[in-house]
Amino acid sequence: MTFRAVVIGGGQAGLATGFYLRRSGLVPGKDFVILDAAAEPGGAWARMWPTLRTFSPTQYSSLPGWMMPPWTGDSGYPLASHVVDYLARYEDRYQLDVRRSVSVRSVNRGIDELVVHTNSGDWPAEHVISATGTWSRPFVPHYPGTFAGQQLHTADYRSASDVRGRRVLIVGGGNSAAQILAEVSLVAETTWVTLRPPRFLPDEVDGRALFEIATERHKARLRGESDTTGVAGLGDIVMVENVREARERGVLHARRPFTRLVDHGVRWPDGTESSFDTIIWCTGFRPALGHLAGLGLRAPDGLIPTDGTQAIKESRLHLIGYGDWTGPASATLIGAGRTARDLVRDL
């Protein structure tokens, strides 16, 4: 059978899209289906380190239709496990047909449809909605030289206890770096490296304010107005509780980048060297778009040009959840819902 829509990815963006497809009158399992490579629900949240917190309280971290249950823990910001539980229950609540352990290998053009090729067969579709996110494509910048110690990426990090008593270099100037630094610095000797001085948001600013700023920035672009600094004008790092506590301990101080890796650590621009046991790369991710390579849509920057969420050179393909280029704040819980609403309306 040919589905009206096949959604690739069962994380927050895929589930939000499924909600709006269902609300539009399409029947899960009959008219549309969600394919997910993971064996369990929760999307990328299920693979993040357990002490990671959201940037917003639950009332500003919800998908459409059902607000995330209140977090009753030690902070106003829920842990990753709370988000995983919410996404699993959301999937059941709206009876979304998520086919698990289905790995998408490629998407190609058929005669009248797109065909999604997977480890469990082919899935023809009138429309394909790619919501694979970025977590499966961690990025590590190139530095000359080699390092003989342990190297982790944000995607590999699990617990500060794993590096207890070690000399740890944390590279990256975003929220993940700040949260990991905050907890690792309690049990290890830490050094923080950022490209530019870290920029901390005011304590009262959280994910809700960030989404509103991103939305206004997007509207300004649509009106043809000049771009503004948007969120970057305020800062990069949300001051969740453990980051504020690290500030009080005086550990939120960063050095400028090193010039090369050496066997025992790194070399700084002045020629001096420092020894480390572990490097944690908190240097971000790239969109997971390899399954779309056969469509030949990528621009030189590696992204697929879109009009909103719709691929410009393939109108049957939509993308959601990769960042502002597929909808303002569409890689956040609340942003994914609003972008999914517009995507399904356009379909």
Side-chain angles (χ1 to χ4, degrees):
M1 63 181 293
T2 297
F3 289 91
R4 294 288 302 279
V6 168
V7 181
I8 305 174
Q12 60 196 33
L15 296 183
T17 302
F19 169 86
Y20 281 110
L21 288 172
R22 188 176 188 275
R23 199 174 79 164
S24 73
L26 299 188
V27 179
K30 178 177 180 295
D31 299 316
F32 75 94
V33 68
I34 300 172
L35 308 179
D36 193 61
E40 302 293 337
W45 290 96
R47 302 192 293 277
M48 296 176 185
W49 68 98
T51 52
L52 174 69
R53 294 188 183 275
T54 68
F55 303 150
S56 304
T58 55
Q59 61 266 41
Y60 303 117
S61 301
S62 300
L63 294 181
W66 181 44
M67 185 170 290
M68 183 184 292
W71 168 251
T72 57
D74 57 351
S75 167
Y77 300 93
L79 289 169
S81 59
H82 188 73
V83 182
V84 172
D85 179 69
Y86 168 65
L87 294 179
R89 293 166 63 188
Y90 186 93
E91 186 178 311
D92 290 339
R93 182 184 183 94
Y94 293 108
Q95 299 180 318
L96 299 175
D97 188 3
V98 182
R99 310 292 177 91
R100 300 216 170 274
S101 299
V102 178
S103 178
V104 174
R105 296 167 177 165
S106 63
V107 177
N108 295 103
R109 295 179 179 90
I111 298 175
D112 298 313
E113 71 284 312
L114 294 176
V115 181
V116 180
H117 304 284
T118 79
N119 63 340
S120 66
D122 296 341
W123 304 72
E126 296 176 17
H127 301 277
V128 169
I129 300 160
S130 185
T132 51
T134 63
W135 193 260
S136 63
R137 284 200 64 207
F139 170 74
V140 175
H142 172 73
Y143 278 92
T146 58
F147 174 62
Q150 180 189 36
Q151 296 190 61
L152 302 172
H153 189 273
T154 306
D156 309 309
Y157 175 80
R158 299 303 297 168
S159 170
S161 62
D162 295 335
V163 293
R164 181 181 298 274
R166 299 181 185 178
R167 296 164 297 179
V168 181
L169 178 65
I170 297 172
V171 183
N175 286 286
S176 295
Q179 288 198 34
I180 291 175
L181 171 70
E183 61 184 47
V184 169
S185 61
L186 291 170
V187 299
E189 177 186 329
T190 55
T191 300
W192 190 19
V193 164
T194 61
L195 283 174
R196 57 175 183 257
R199 300 181 297 180
F200 303 102
L201 289 159
D203 286 8
E204 68 274 10
V205 174
D206 60 20
R208 176 187 56 152
L210 298 183
F211 176 76
E212 291 173 350
I213 292 169
T215 301
E216 288 305 314
R217 187 182 185 192
H218 178 68
K219 290 179 179 178
R221 287 176 180 171
L222 293 179
R223 293 192 297 264
E225 300 173 3
S226 59
D227 196 5
T228 66
T229 56
V231 173
L234 291 177
D236 299 317
I237 297 170
V238 179
M239 301 303 291
V240 296
E241 185 175 352
N242 71 331
V243 177
R244 291 197 300 269
E245 186 273 334
R247 178 184 61 194
E248 298 305 312
R249 288 190 284 115
V251 300
L252 297 184
H253 300 291
R255 295 188 63 166
R256 299 287 70 73
F258 47 90
T259 57
R260 69 178 294 116
L261 300 170
V262 295
D263 185 66
H264 59 275
V266 300
R267 182 175 301 159
W268 305 103
D270 63 2
T272 61
E273 297 180 354
S274 296
S275 296
F276 296 100
D277 303 303
T278 301
I279 298 176
I280 303 177
W281 300 96
C282 302
T283 44
F285 299 81
R286 296 293 182 265
L289 301 174
H291 58 292
L292 302 175
L295 299 175
L297 303 175
R298 285 204 193 188
D301 63 0
L303 303 182
I304 295 176
T306 58
D307 179 9
T309 63
Q310 187 177 45
I312 291 174
K313 294 184 179 180
E314 176 48 79
S315 61
R316 295 169 294 185
L317 174 67
H318 285 251
L319 301 99
I320 180 173
Y322 298 97
D324 287 349
W325 64 283
T326 56
S330 68
T332 67
L333 283 158
I334 189 172
R338 298 186 188 184
T339 303
R341 175 195 61 199
D342 296 340
L343 185 161
V344 173
R345 180 198 62 206
D346 292 344
L347 285 181

